[in-house]
Amino acid sequence: MRSSLARVYSPSDDLHAIEVPADPNGLACDAGDGTLYVADGAGAVLAVERGCSRRVATIATAGCTTNELGGIAVAPGGTLYVARLGHGHAGAILRITRRGAVTELPGLSPDVWRLGVVHDGERALYTTQYDKTAAGPCDGAVIRIDLSTGEVEPVVEGLGKPVGVAKLGATLLVTDARRRAVICAELSHRGARCTEIPLGERPDSIAACGFDSAVLTSYRPDAGVGSVHRLWLDGTIETLVTGPWEPRGVASDGDRAFVSVRRGGRVLVFPL
């Protein structure tokens, strides 16, 4: 793998924002109709269509008072899957139908923190999870959930704090905030072969934006500066945009990137 920081995208009039009545976190873009879905940190799930937002569902807090929802994924047909962080006692993946009915997927431990989630386009979900002790996040993993059978199996283990997950063909890309790296896991019937791509900053969310690349967010808390990068499967990293905001969720329709700003009430949009 080779890693390099390339040109910096200088935003101008091309960069704009979608105002949302929420503290946006997870994002997902429906490739079918272009709808942008937003998971609000406070528990609301919103749909943004033609510049207007509507509430799709509200996820029960389960005793959590802050940072309720993490990532969100949309399946073919419009079913949504949302990760509830859970704070070590209520971690879950919630299914939301097109009519807004909310159910919790069975067979998952509520004792882990859950953040990233992605649908593989067929019948499975991949989601990140980790434990948390006084020393910090630990025992991180990515699990696969077979939506037909309910079978749950770990596919990548030994991570620190896995946050986001994206799937490009037979490859999973996982952002590990504790390692400050992206884990590239090539899946096969023999398991996962993993390679680490150092980022140098704390990565957060990640989303596919083509068959061989993904967009991901990172943050430097000491400087209060957030960045959005594009990562190719050959290890090349290009910094696209930086700014005085803390980016969280990210999504792409292939032509644009959507980036949620923590406590900013907006989703930034810019061309790729």
Side-chain angles (χ1 to χ4, degrees):
M1 288 269 179
R2 59 187 175 89
S3 177
S4 62
L5 287 177
R7 67 177 178 85
V8 176
Y9 173 79
S10 298
S12 59
D13 292 339
D14 290 335
L15 177 65
H16 69 278
I18 300 172
E19 303 296 327
V20 291
D23 178 14
N25 196 357
L27 299 177
C29 188
D30 190 331
D33 60 14
T35 301
L36 179 68
Y37 291 98
V38 182
D40 173 18
V45 177
L46 308 174
V48 180
E49 302 161 304
R50 294 179 292 277
C52 298
S53 63
R54 61 179 175 85
R55 184 179 293 248
V56 175
T58 300
I59 305 300
T61 62
C64 302
T65 58
T66 59
N67 296 330
E68 173 65 18
L69 300 184
I72 183 170
V74 57
T79 299
L80 301 176
Y81 296 90
V82 183
R84 184 168 64 202
L85 277 71
H87 296 260
H89 66 87
I93 301 294
L94 290 304
R95 179 193 286 116
I96 306 174
T97 68
R98 291 186 68 89
R99 295 187 176 184
V102 179
T103 56
E104 184 174 327
L105 296 188
L108 300 178
S109 170
D111 300 328
V112 295
W113 293 60
R114 300 193 181 278
L115 280 172
V117 60
V118 66
H119 192 277
D120 73 351
E122 296 180 354
R123 63 175 190 177
L125 287 178
Y126 292 85
T127 180
T128 62
Q129 64 180 41
Y130 60 91
D131 291 321
K132 202 169 186 180
T133 66
C138 60
D139 297 329
V142 177
I143 63 171
R144 180 183 185 273
I145 306 168
D146 189 312
L147 296 173
S148 298
T149 65
E151 181 181 0
V152 177
E153 62 175 338
V155 292
V156 183
E157 298 180 283
L159 303 176
K161 182 184 178 182
V163 179
V165 58
K167 191 170 188 292
L168 282 68
T171 301
L172 287 181
L173 295 174
V174 187
T175 53
D176 193 321
R178 186 154 194 179
R179 293 188 183 183
R180 293 176 176 258
V182 179
I183 309 303
C184 181
E186 297 180 23
L187 306 179
S188 71
H189 66 280
R190 298 179 180 178
R193 184 168 66 88
C194 297
T195 305
E196 186 171 307
I197 305 172
L199 190 61
E201 301 177 8
R202 188 187 75 194
D204 200 88
S205 299
I206 190 167
C209 63
F211 69 93
D212 65 347
S213 65
V215 285
L216 67 140
T217 61
S218 67
Y219 186 61
R220 288 187 291 153
D222 57 334
V225 173
S227 300
V228 183
H229 314 273
R230 189 167 185 175
L231 169 67
W232 280 265
L233 289 179
D234 67 359
T236 300
I237 302 175
E238 179 182 9
T239 300
L240 299 175
V241 62
T242 62
W245 25 258
E246 182 175 355
R248 281 300 180 89
V250 65
S252 174
D253 61 5
D255 298 316
R256 298 169 294 173
F258 303 88
V259 181
S260 59
V261 177
R262 186 183 186 192
R263 300 192 183 98
R266 68 191 192 278
V267 176
L268 303 180
V269 186
F270 60 90
L272 295 172

